[in-house]
Amino acid sequence: MLNLRDPFIFELPEFDWCEIKSNEWKTLPCLSGRTASQEDVQNGSAVFTAERGSLPHAINLPACALYHDVDKGKKIPSVIIQAEAIGEEVYLGIRFFTGGNAVCKIDEVELIGQI
């Protein structure tokens, strides 16, 4: 998982990141075609905002994925709701089906199905 001390990104945890029902993931609010604002994070359509220099990354959202948690040695079912490029890296805002969220790099997830 991304170290949020990275100078490019900060997370705003005000939104209640509740559990996702398996039949409702396709209707989750998400951010596509632009970068996130603080308002997007507060209303739950994004997980993070970039301080500067990000661009939207082309991916069909929301998208199901498995997040590779290397600390726990597990693949965690999640939904990608945001994708932004900063420099050479692509960062994702993801929500976990069990509740909660994370910011990670694109190489930390395995996409499930079509994107």
Side-chain angles (χ1 to χ4, degrees):
M1 187 180 309
L2 179 68
N3 177 354
L4 290 177
R5 293 186 182 174
D6 184 312
F8 298 107
I9 295 179
F10 65 95
E11 190 175 22
L12 299 169
E14 293 89 6
F15 188 77
D16 179 21
W17 302 99
C18 59
E19 181 179 343
I20 302 167
K21 294 180 182 174
S22 61
N23 63 342
E24 295 180 355
W25 73 268
K26 290 182 181 181
T27 63
L28 286 177
C30 60
L31 190 67
S32 189
R34 64 181 177 83
T35 58
S37 68
Q38 289 184 3
E39 183 178 317
D40 294 320
V41 174
Q42 290 168 343
N43 71 28
S45 59
V47 176
F48 67 91
T49 60
E51 293 179 352
R52 62 184 182 276
S54 70
L55 297 169
H57 181 72
I59 184 173
N60 292 326
L61 299 175
C64 268
L66 293 173
Y67 166 67
H68 296 250
D69 187 333
V70 293
D71 293 333
K72 295 180 181 177
K74 294 182 179 181
K75 293 181 180 181
I76 303 171
S78 59
V79 179
I80 303 168
I81 63 167
Q82 174 185 8
E84 295 188 27
I86 302 173
E88 298 294 317
E89 297 288 348
V90 175
Y91 296 92
L92 304 176
I94 62 173
R95 290 187 56 185
F96 301 115
F97 277 90
T98 57
N101 68 58
V103 178
C104 63
K105 293 181 181 180
I106 198 166
D107 61 358
E108 295 178 275
V109 299
E110 176 184 337
L111 295 168
I112 300 172
Q114 299 238 333
I115 61 166

